[in-house]
Short mmCIF file of all heavy atoms in Angstrom, two decimals:
data_model
loop_
_atom_site.label_atom_id
_atom_site.label_comp_id
_atom_site.label_asym_id
_atom_site.label_seq_id
_atom_site.Cartn_x
_atom_site.Cartn_y
_atom_site.Cartn_z
N LYS L 49 108.95 105.17 93.77
CA LYS L 49 108.92 106.47 93.08
C LYS L 49 109.75 107.52 93.84
O LYS L 49 110.61 108.19 93.24
CB LYS L 49 107.46 106.97 92.93
CG LYS L 49 106.56 106.01 92.20
CD LYS L 49 105.14 106.52 92.12
CE LYS L 49 104.43 106.75 93.42
NZ LYS L 49 104.16 105.54 94.23
N SER L 50 109.48 107.66 95.14
CA SER L 50 110.22 108.68 95.90
C SER L 50 111.70 108.35 95.95
O SER L 50 112.55 109.23 95.81
CB SER L 50 109.68 108.78 97.33
OG SER L 50 108.35 109.23 97.32
N GLN L 100 107.82 114.89 99.02
CA GLN L 100 106.49 114.38 99.37
C GLN L 100 106.14 114.94 100.75
O GLN L 100 106.98 115.01 101.64
CB GLN L 100 106.57 112.85 99.43
CG GLN L 100 105.24 112.17 99.56
CD GLN L 100 105.33 110.68 99.19
OE1 GLN L 100 106.41 110.15 98.96
NE2 GLN L 100 104.20 110.03 99.12
N ASP L 180 107.24 115.59 94.18
CA ASP L 180 106.77 114.29 94.66
C ASP L 180 105.39 114.47 95.31
O ASP L 180 105.30 115.02 96.41
CB ASP L 180 107.79 113.73 95.67
CG ASP L 180 107.54 112.25 96.00
OD1 ASP L 180 106.48 111.74 95.62
OD2 ASP L 180 108.42 111.64 96.62
N GLU L 181 104.36 114.07 94.62
CA GLU L 181 102.98 114.17 95.14
C GLU L 181 102.69 115.57 95.67
O GLU L 181 102.35 115.73 96.84
CB GLU L 181 102.76 113.16 96.28
CG GLU L 181 102.98 111.72 95.90
CD GLU L 181 101.74 111.09 95.28
OE1 GLU L 181 100.74 111.80 95.03
OE2 GLU L 181 101.79 109.88 95.04
N ILE L 212 105.62 113.10 90.36
CA ILE L 212 105.06 111.85 90.86
C ILE L 212 103.65 112.14 91.31
O ILE L 212 103.41 113.10 92.04
CB ILE L 212 105.84 111.35 92.10
CG1 ILE L 212 107.24 110.89 91.71
CG2 ILE L 212 105.09 110.20 92.75
CD1 ILE L 212 108.02 110.33 92.88
MG1 LIG A 403 106.67 108.31 97.73
#
Side-chain angles (χ1 to χ4, degrees):
K49 303 178 299 294
S50 296
Q100 190 163 7
D180 192 349
E181 301 275 6
I212 291 183

